[in-house]
Structure formats: structure tokens, C-alpha cells
């Protein structure tokens, strides 16, 4: 959340651009901004925040000494540094990356979220004290009681109030004794309330270190953090219950709406479960601190009990992403399926669950703010990148924590039950790199022996992350240099092969040998088992977040199949109607011809058959010898030709056609030939001119059509080259 925390580099750059309006403005400071940032980072080596304006002033002085400028250049740099320093507000802090980053960010988030609610609570208490004091002062005046008005006298002009009441006391009706006692009790509770500046109460053991006692924070030491946190919250809630009940009673009495028959029993059982959301936001928050090993072992029952309750208590746990928190003594980290505490928390359904990396402060704050804004228990699983089993870590913890996020060893996820009843509403998943892939894929650039730069795609898997852990190096063996075989496959491809294939394959990852050269490292079966287990959990989270959801894919395939079936049914209907129309036409033509033939045979007028202007045929004369037979007259020959019936027009299914009703408006056919295909008013395609392009365009369009609704038919141009192959390709679509 940029309103709470900003990266130092971004803050310096944005503060500079706020007053340096152009590349040549504040040139000296602009050129040395990186030096200034490095100086500040080197000073942030401690685990706790430091005063930002004070440290920036020190860095500014150091930069001035480093450059040793004179004259106008020095004056310009000093002025620009002063303006840059205005970006660090009084009270602002700088925090370096370290093991306490999550705790400091939680405290910072609590100040931001809970602080305004605490201010509103103080104002409510003060207003109710004033109101009840005035109410009792009026009552005392009615009864003629003296006194100076008690604690509330400072808010009133008692002389003016007494003079006003003396004129009305004679006819006034006194307040019932029960109501007066109730008001006095509520007023006493409000007056006696001690304003507690504490916003957070950390419960647990902070690795034997004393957390700085800063305003708004207190630490309660406990070997059983979850159980102790419950007790701390219940004690806090009992104290706040008295306060909130007094505030509510005061509001009812000031409005004269308190009804003993209704409200007495209600306030008799008033406890934290009756608190409103605003009242819970005004309370101090209790946060249990415990390592993942403890929560997955002896602390698991207390954790489950807490997450299943309605207590708004938070749990922050430190997770080693390369380990199994539920491992038993003597077992290795990959001897069993990993116990996923986040999934355990999600199983409690009504608890906020946030798994985040300390290397991504935005994601970390997202989980904290989600929990602080709710009235539920919360589980926060944080990977800090620290290697507790190593005396001197080789790699920077921030880098290791980032690698855990990249490799799916510790993926980001926030589950907020208050966002809705469906997983799509509850689950936030966007903090993961390339969330639609099993593993993030990047390009590896290297230089070969000939000096040529080569780039190859590489997936960053859990095995690549494990290579960063010295404790896990026993799971790798270097492949001899120059050894190449088809059986050597990267881990990500190995995991995609079926069980029958992997028996003869050897998975590997890329590493760097002592000479700085690329080398293949074969991976142990135990580590491959862990990679498959991590991928399985990753895919489970993907489905919760709606990424590659199998049920969604099945629904899409079902809709496509239903559309295809409907299209096939529509084609069958149209063909049946067409065939019926042809059959009806043939039957009608046959009836007409048969009717005419009957007329002829029954002695009817042949003019209806041969035409009105044609002479009626006569019976021929007795046959004469063939040699003397005269030639047939020309008009008779013409009549015979006219009397022959014309051939019926043949209807062919070899012409190209497009089942427009099945079109999905994918634009694929338009990309091939916009003169041949067009859209109708419903944005569905049809063939506007089959001769506007070669037969090859029709075949290509049919092949890429996702709805398979283009039917190329037979070629219209018999001279088009390559027809034999094109006809064979078109056959499945006709």
C-alpha cells in the first residue's frame, strides 16, 4: 500500500521529480542520487526503524563532503538537498530489510488503521461525559442539591445554569431513582476510563530479543502464544465491554430512549460478541507470534481452536520455505508431503489467511490490513528468507525470500471470508509472478566457448530454489562437462512426463561451477518428489483463485459441444427440408407430366403439350417403299424438337457454404480473405463471393475455424495449382 510504505528508491526519485522539472534541473543532485541511496541503505543495518529526517540530514552532509563543491555549485546542491529532504515528513521512519520487518509493518498498519478509531473513541467518551454531567446537574438543581458540579463543572457556567434552574425548579418532576443510579454508574465508568495508548499486544517469544517498547506496542512473553493470546484478548474485551456498555447507555439516556424492560437484560449479558465493528476497531489488537514448526506440532490444537473461534486475534508465524514444518525428529524435509499451514488455515473457512513474503512489502501489508479491517481471527505466514540453520548465510535474505516466491515454494495468497461466500470473491492471488504458469519462465543468457551469446528459456522451479540452500546441496550431483543425452531433461519437463517415461529420464537444473561456467546438476528423487508436491499445492491455489480451474474449462467445453451439436442438428434440419423440397418439386413435375399424358391417351387436345400454334399430328399414311419415301418436312422436325422435355436443373452440394449460425466471430477467416468472407448484422460470417479468392483460401479458412462451420466444397477453378492436395485437405470439412 503506497500510502503506508514506499521503497526508498521510488521515494527519492518521486521527491526529486516533484521540484526538478526537467533533465537539466538539479543536475548535480540527480547525478548523485544513487550515491545518496547507497549511503542510506548502508546505514539501515539494524533491525529497527530510524528517524528519516535525521538520517537524511546525515546523508546530505556526507554527500557534500564527498563532492567537496565550491561556490554556486555547492549552494545549488545544498538547496536541492533541502528540498529533497522536505519529502521526509517529521516522524517518518526508514526501515532496512531484516527479520523484524513484518512486526514493524504490522505496527505501522495498526497505527494507520486503528489510530483514527481510537481518536473517535476518545471524542465519544468526552461527549457522553459532558451530556450525562449536564443531565445530572439539571436533576440536582431540581432537587435543590448543592455542589460544584463534580468533574463536569469545567464544561459549564454553573452560575448561569443555577439561575436558570431556580426559575423552573418549583414545577419540575424529579428523575426516577433507578434511572439516576444508572446514569451515575455510566458516568463514573466513562470518567474512570484510562486512555490506553497501546494498539498492539504481541504475545510470544521474539527469538530471545527484546523488541523495542515503542508507543502503541507492548509485548507479553509466552511459551504458548495462541492460548495466551486468547486469555489476553478476553481480559481486554471484558474491560472494553464495561466502557462500550456505558457509552451505549449514555446515548440511550441522553435521547430518553432507555427502556428497563428491554435494555436491562440486554446489558446484563453484554460482552465482546455484542461489539459493533467500530467498537472492535477501537480496541487494542492481540497478535500471537510463533514459528511454523511450533504451530505445525504441539501448538496445532491451540491454533485450530483460535482460528475456529470468533475472536479477532491474529497469529504471525515465520516459515522456512525450503523445509517441512511438520517434520519429525530424524526425518528429512522431503520424507513426507509438506504440511501447508495456509491450507490448514483456509480449512477453518471463517479466518483470514495471508501467506506473503517479507521481500514484498505491498503483499505483506495487504494481508495485515485485510485482517485489521475485519472482526475475525487471522493467520499470517511470512517467509523472511532467513536461514536459521546456517551460521553465515551466503545470500542476502531479501534475495532468498524473493526466490521462494518465484519458485512456488512460498506463494502469495490472501483469503478474506468477509469478501463473500465464493472463492473468486475471497481469494487474492495477483502477487505471484506469472500466476497462470506452473513455474515462472525467464530467458537464460550465456556466452559459449566461441564467444557467442545464446538465450534459452528456463523455468524457475522449487529445485532451483533449493539450490540456494547449502543444507540441500546433497540433493544435487554435477553432470560431467560435455555429457549430453536425450535422457537428461529439465525438472519442469520431467514433471510433465507420464510415469512410464520418467523411469529412464534424469531431471536436472542449471547451476554455476567453481570456474563460473554453466553446468547441469542432476536432482535427487527426493527433491523431485518435493517439486511435484509443491506444484500440486500451487495448482490447488490456482483453482481457488480461478486460474486454470478444471470445472470452468469443463463448462466451456460443454458449451462448445452443445453449440456444435446444435449446429449439426440445424444442418440436418436444413438438409432434410431441402431434400423434401426437391422431392415435392419432382412429385409436382411428375404429376403434371402424367396429367398431360393421360389427356393425350384419352383423346385430349395435344396443343396443351406441343403448343397452341403447332399443327395437330395426323395418323401417317400407309408406308411407301423406302426408296420413294420423301424427306420429313422442316416444320414437323421442328415440332418434334420442341416437344422433347427440357432436362431438370441439377442441384449440387459441391459449392462452398458457411454455416452462419455456428460462427463464433473469431475473425480468423477475415484475416485470410476479407473479399471472400463478410459479417452479417449479427456479427456472424457468411461467404459473400466464393470466387473472390483461390480455393486454397477456402481450405485454409476451414482448417483454422474454431467452430468448424466453413465447408469448402469442390474447387470452382479446375486449373488452380495443387488441387489434389487441397481437395484432400478439404474432405474432412465437407
Amino acid at each position: 500500500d503506497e500510502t503506508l510504505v514506499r521503497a526508498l528508491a521510488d521515494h527519492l526519485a518521486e521527491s526529486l521529480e516533484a521540484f526538478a522539472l526537467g533533465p537539466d534541473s538539479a543536475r548535480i543532485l540527480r547525478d548523485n542520487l544513487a550515491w545518496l541511496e547507497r549511503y542510506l541503505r548502508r546505514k539501515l543495518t539494524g533491525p529497527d526503524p530510524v528517524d528519516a529526517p535525521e538520517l537524511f540530514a546525515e546523508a546530505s552532509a556526507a554527500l557534500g563532503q564527498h563532492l567537496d563543491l565550491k561556490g554556486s555549485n555547492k549552494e545549488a546542491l545544498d538547496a536541492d538537498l533541502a528540498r529533497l529532504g522536505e519529502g521526509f515528513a517529521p516522524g517518518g521512519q526508514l526501515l532496512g530489510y531484516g527479520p523484524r520487518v513484518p512486526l514493524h509493518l504490522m505496527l505501522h498498519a495498526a497505527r494507520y488503521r486503528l489510530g483514527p478509531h481510537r481518536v473517535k473513541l476518545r471524542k465519544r467518551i468526552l461527549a457522553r461525559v459532558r451530556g450525562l454531567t449536564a443531565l445530572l446537574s439539571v436533576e440536582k438543581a431540581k432537587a435543590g442539591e448543592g455542589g460544584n458540579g463534580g468533574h463536569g463543572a469545567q464544561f459549564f457556567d454553573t452560575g448561569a445554569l443555577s439561575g436558570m434552574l431556580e426559575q423552573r425548579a418549583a414545577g419540575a418532576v424529579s428523575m426516577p431513582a433507578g434511572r439516576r443510579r444508572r446514569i451515575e454508574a455510566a458516568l463514573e465508568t466513562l470518567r474512570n476510563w484510562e486512555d490506553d495508548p497501546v494498539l498492539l499486544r504481541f504475545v510470544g517469544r521474539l527469538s530471545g530479543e527484546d523488541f523495542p517498547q515503542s508507543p502503541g506496542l507492548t509485548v507479553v512473553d509466552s511459551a504458548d502464544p495462541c492460548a495466551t493470546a486468547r486469555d489476553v484478548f478476553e481480559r481486554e474485551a471484558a474491560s472494553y465491554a464495561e466502557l462500550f456498555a456505558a457509552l451505549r447507555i449514555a446515548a440511550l439516556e441522553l435521547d430518553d430512549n432507555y427502556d428497563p424492560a428491554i435494555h436491562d437484560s440486554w446489558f446484563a449479558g453484554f460482552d465482546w460478541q455484542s461489539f459493533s465493528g467500530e467498537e472492535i476497531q477501537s480496541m487494542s489488537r492481540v497478535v500471537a507470534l510463533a514459528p511454523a514448526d511450533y504451530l505445525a506440532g504441539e501448538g496445532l490444537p491451540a491454533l485450530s481452536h483460535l482460528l475456529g473461534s470468533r475472536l479477532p486475534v491474529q497469529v504471525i508465524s515465520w516459515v522456512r520455505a525450503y523445509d517441512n514444518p511438520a517434520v519429525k525428529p530424524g526425518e528429512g524435509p522431503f520424507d513426507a508431503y509438506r504440511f501447508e499451514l495456509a491450507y490448514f488455515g483456509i480449512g477453518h473457512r471463517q479466518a483470514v489467511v495471508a501467506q506473503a513474503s517479507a521481500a514484498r512489502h505491498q503483499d505483506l501489508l495487504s494481508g495485515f490490513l485485510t485482517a485489521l479491517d475485519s472482526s475475525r481471527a487471522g493467520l499470517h505466514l511470512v517467509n523472511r528468507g532467513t536461514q536459521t540453520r546456517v551460521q553465515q548465510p551466503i545470500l542476502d535474505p531479501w534475495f532468498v525470500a524473493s526466490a521462494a516466491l518465484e519458485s512456488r515454494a512460498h506463494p502469495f495468497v490472501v483469503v478474506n471470508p468477509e469478501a463473500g461466500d465464493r472463492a473468486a470473491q475471497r481469494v487474492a492471488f495477483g502477487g505471484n509472478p506469472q500466476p497462470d504458469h506452473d513455474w515462472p519462465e525467464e530467458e537464460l543468457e550465456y556466452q559459449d566457448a566461441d564467444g557467442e551469446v545464446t538465450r534459452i528459456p528456463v523455468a524457475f522451479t522449487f529445485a532451483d530454489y533449493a539450490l540456494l540452500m547449502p543444507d540441500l546441496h546433497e540433493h544435487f550431483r554435477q553432470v560431467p562437462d560435455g555429457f549430453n543425452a536425450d535422457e537428461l531433461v529439465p525438472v519442469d519437463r520431467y514433471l510433465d512426463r507420464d510415469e512410464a517415461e520418467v523411469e529412464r529420464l534424469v531431471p536436472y537444473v542449471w547451476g554455476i561451477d567453481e570456474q563460473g561456467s554453466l553446468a547441469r546438476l542432476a536432482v535427487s528423487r527426493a527433491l523431485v518428489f518435493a517439486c511435484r508436491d509443491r506444484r500440486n499445492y500451487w495448482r490447488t491455489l490456482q483453482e481457488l483463485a480461478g486460474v486454470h480451474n478444471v470445472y470452468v474449462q469443463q463448462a466451456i467445453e460443454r458449451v462448445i459441444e452443445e453449440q456444435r451439436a446444435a449446429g449439426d442438428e440445424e444442418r440436418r434440419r436444413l438438409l432434410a427440408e431441402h431434400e423434401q423440397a426437391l422431392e415435392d418439386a419432382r412429385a409436382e413435375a411428375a404429376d403434371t407430366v402424367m396429367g398431360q399424358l393421360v389427356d393425350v391417351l384419352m383423346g385430349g387436345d395435344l396443343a396443351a403439350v406441343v403448343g397452341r400454334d403447332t399443327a395437330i399430328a395426323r395418323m401417317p399414311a400407309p408406308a411407301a417403299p423406302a426408296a420413294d419415301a420423301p424427306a420429313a418436312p422442316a416444320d414437323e422436325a421442328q415440332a418434334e424438337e420442341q416437344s422433347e422435355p427440357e432436362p431438370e436443373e441439377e442441384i449440387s452440394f459441391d459449392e462452398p457454404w458457411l454455416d452462419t449460425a455456428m460462427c463464433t466471430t473469431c475473425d480468423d477467416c477475415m484475416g485470410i480473405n476479407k473479399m471472400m468472407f463478410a459479417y452479417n448484422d449479427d456479427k456472424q460470417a457468411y461467404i459473400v463471393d466464393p470466387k473472390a479468392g483461390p480455393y486454397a483460401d477456402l481450405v485454409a479458412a476451414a482448417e483454422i475455424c474454431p467452430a468448424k462451420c466453413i465447408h469448402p466444397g469442390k474447387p470452382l477453378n479446375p486449373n488452380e495449382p495443387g488441387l489434389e492436395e487441397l481437395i484432400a485437405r478439404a474432405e474432412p470439412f465437407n
Side-chain angles (χ1 to χ4, degrees), residues 618-676:
R618 304 295 181 184
M619 290 296 293
D628 300 332
D635 57 348
E636 291 183 8
Q638 183 177 1
E640 290 179 0
E641 292 178 1
Q642 291 177 351
S643 66
E644 294 180 1
E646 296 181 1
E648 295 183 12
E649 180 183 356
E650 294 186 1
I651 297 177
S652 172
F653 295 97
D654 292 339
E655 294 186 359
W657 66 289
L658 194 153
D659 190 352
T660 300
M662 288 290 292
C663 176
T664 60
T665 318
C666 67
D667 278 340
D668 289 345
C669 59
M670 301 298 173
I672 292 178
N673 192 329
K674 290 187 177 180
M675 301 298 294
M676 181 178 291

Side-chain angles (χ1 to χ4, degrees), residues 360-378:
R360 300 289 189 272
H361 64 269
Q362 300 94 333
D363 297 340
L364 200 59
L365 282 169
S366 174
F368 290 158
L369 293 175
T370 298
L372 291 173
D373 289 341
S374 75
S375 302
R376 301 168 183 265

Side-chain angles (χ1 to χ4, degrees), residues 53-133:
E54 181 179 336
L55 183 58
F56 180 78
E58 177 187 330
S60 298
L63 178 60
Q65 293 176 1
H66 170 71
L67 297 177
D68 194 22
L69 300 175
K70 307 295 182 185
S72 60
N73 287 336
K74 182 179 185 306
E75 293 175 0
L77 177 62
D78 290 343
D80 291 336
L81 283 170
R83 281 184 286 184
L84 185 64
E86 292 173 1
F88 294 94
Q93 294 179 316
L94 288 171
L95 176 63
Y97 187 83
R100 292 179 179 173
V101 161
L103 300 183
H104 287 298
L105 290 182
M106 180 58 149
L107 178 58
H108 187 52
R111 287 172 177 156
Y112 180 77
R113 276 292 198 266
L114 306 182
H117 293 284
R118 187 63 63 82
V119 172
K120 290 173 62 177
L121 176 62
R122 296 189 192 106
K123 291 181 178 179
R124 285 179 59 204
I125 294 173
L126 184 59
R128 297 296 183 264
V129 167
R130 288 174 174 172
L132 294 183
T133 301

Side-chain angles (χ1 to χ4, degrees), residues 593-639:
V593 172
M594 289 300 297
Q596 293 174 348
L597 181 59
V598 169
D599 289 343
V600 171
L601 294 176
M602 297 299 293
D605 186 3
L606 288 180
V609 179
V610 300
R612 291 291 180 182
D613 298 330
T614 304
I616 299 176
R618 304 295 181 184
M619 290 296 293
D628 300 332
D635 57 348
E636 291 183 8
Q638 183 177 1

Side-chain angles (χ1 to χ4, degrees), residues 126-144:
L126 184 59
R128 297 296 183 264
V129 167
R130 288 174 174 172
L132 294 183
T133 301
L135 194 61
L136 288 177
S137 296
V138 172
E139 189 61 26
K140 290 177 181 179
K142 292 178 184 178

Side-chain angles (χ1 to χ4, degrees), residues 130-412:
R130 288 174 174 172
L132 294 183
T133 301
L135 194 61
L136 288 177
S137 296
V138 172
E139 189 61 26
K140 290 177 181 179
K142 292 178 184 178
E145 298 177 16
N148 59 6
H151 295 287
Q154 56 183 318
F155 306 118
F156 303 99
D157 183 347
T158 54
L161 181 63
S162 299
M164 177 184 66
L165 292 175
E166 285 175 358
Q167 301 175 10
R168 302 178 55 189
V173 178
S174 297
M175 179 186 297
R179 183 186 180 194
R180 179 166 177 170
R181 286 193 299 271
R182 190 166 52 246
I183 292 175
E184 289 173 342
L187 181 59
E188 183 179 5
T189 299
L190 296 177
R191 284 174 174 170
N192 293 336
W193 174 257
E194 295 183 4
D195 189 12
D196 188 355
V198 173
L199 296 175
L200 284 184
R201 300 189 187 278
F202 285 156
V203 180
R205 291 182 174 170
L206 300 173
S207 303
E209 300 175 355
D210 293 327
F211 199 78
Q213 299 294 315
S214 60
L217 172 69
T218 186
V219 177
V220 179
D221 185 75
S222 173
D224 190 0
C226 292
T228 304
R230 287 179 61 96
D231 296 339
V232 171
F233 172 80
E234 288 173 353
R235 286 197 300 270
E236 288 273 317
S239 175
Y240 275 99
E242 294 182 9
L243 172 67
F244 294 146
L247 284 170
R248 294 196 188 190
I249 291 172
L252 290 169
E253 291 292 0
L254 290 173
D255 292 337
D256 198 16
N257 287 329
Y258 192 97
D259 185 349
I262 298 174
H263 297 114
D264 282 354
S265 59
W266 163 254
F267 285 109
F270 189 82
D271 61 6
W272 69 268
Q273 299 188 63
S274 305
F275 292 177
S276 66
E278 175 65 30
E279 288 169 339
I280 289 179
Q281 294 298 311
S282 303
M283 293 178 58
S284 302
R285 291 302 182 93
V286 182
V287 181
L289 307 176
D293 296 349
Y294 171 79
L295 293 181
E298 60 180 303
L300 191 62
L303 172 65
S304 181
H305 190 200
L306 179 59
L307 296 180
S309 71
R310 295 180 52 232
L311 277 66
V313 175
Q314 306 304 309
V315 180
I316 298 180
S317 181
W318 323 123
V319 179
R320 291 191 301 271
Y322 60 90
D323 207 351
N324 183 352
V327 68
K328 303 297 182 184
E331 292 182 345
F334 310 139
D335 289 347
Y337 294 107
R338 189 170 192 266
F339 181 71
E340 298 291 350
L341 277 166
Y343 203 58
F344 177 78
I346 294 172
H348 287 78
R349 297 185 299 108
Q350 299 302 328
V352 174
V353 178
Q355 180 169 282
S357 169
R360 300 289 189 272
H361 64 269
Q362 300 94 333
D363 297 340
L364 200 59
L365 282 169
S366 174
F368 290 158
L369 293 175
T370 298
L372 291 173
D373 289 341
S374 75
S375 302
R376 301 168 183 265
L379 174 63
H380 306 266
L381 303 166
V382 182
N383 175 244
R384 301 175 293 182
T386 54
Q387 302 174 48
T388 56
R389 298 181 182 179
V390 181
Q391 292 291 337
Q392 294 182 341
I394 301 174
L395 299 172
D396 183 77
W398 183 91
F399 175 81
V400 176
S402 299
L405 179 70
E406 291 272 345
S407 66
R408 318 308 193 201
H410 189 81
F412 167 78

Side-chain angles (χ1 to χ4, degrees), residues 448-487:
D448 60 19
D450 299 328
E452 300 231 348
V453 175
T454 304
R455 296 179 180 86
I456 57 174
V458 175
F460 192 72
T461 67
F462 177 70
D464 296 274
Y465 167 73
L467 187 58
L468 306 177
M469 304 298 147
D471 277 359
L472 302 180
H473 285 179
E474 62 184 20
H475 292 277
F476 300 91
R477 293 292 183 272
Q478 184 170 343
V479 178
D481 189 25
F483 179 80
N484 293 307
D486 294 338
E487 287 75 17

